[in-house]
């Protein structure tokens, strides 16, 4: 599942999937290499999209990268 393409089955809205494609985030593996802060820094990526991403990854047993302090 790690290298699976981000798909409709993940429940991500079409606009979000297209935005991630533009940002070269094409697989679950690409996505989990980012932290919440990384994603929120991206243009057009807000808290609503972050919630979708976190919920979809959790269903697959994954999460975003943890930020080390």
């Amino acid at each position: 599942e790690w290298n699976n393409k981000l798909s409709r089955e993940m429940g991500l809205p079409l606009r979000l999937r297209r935005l991630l494609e533009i940002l070269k985030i094409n697989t679950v593996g690409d996505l989990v290499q980012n932290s919440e802060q990384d994603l929120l820094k991206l243009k057009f990526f807000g808290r609503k999209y972050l919630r979708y991403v976190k919920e979809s990854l959790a269903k697959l047993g994954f999460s975003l990268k943890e930020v080390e302090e």
Side-chain angles (χ1 to χ4, degrees):
E1 289 185 63
W2 178 262
N3 286 316
N4 284 356
K5 291 274 187 192
L6 299 176
S7 66
R8 199 175 309 161
E9 290 78 30
M10 283 186 67
L12 298 175
L14 179 59
R15 282 185 174 183
L16 175 53
R17 288 196 321 267
R18 287 188 177 157
L19 174 61
L20 292 171
E21 286 175 15
I22 291 167
L23 297 169
K24 306 283 190 245
I25 299 173
N26 298 306
T27 65
V28 172
D30 294 338
L31 190 54
V32 298
Q33 292 178 32
N34 293 280
S35 68
E36 289 184 23
Q37 292 82 358
D38 294 335
L39 294 175
L40 290 173
K41 288 178 188 172
L42 301 172
K43 190 172 187 176
F44 304 116
F45 199 102
R47 296 228 168 255
K48 186 174 185 180
Y49 280 169
L50 179 62
R51 188 178 74 241
Y52 284 128
V53 164
K54 289 174 66 175
E55 288 173 358
S56 295
L57 287 175
K59 289 177 188 175
L60 297 174
F62 294 109
S63 62
L64 294 172
K65 179 176 84 173
E66 294 292 324
V67 177
E68 295 179 20
E69 295 182 26

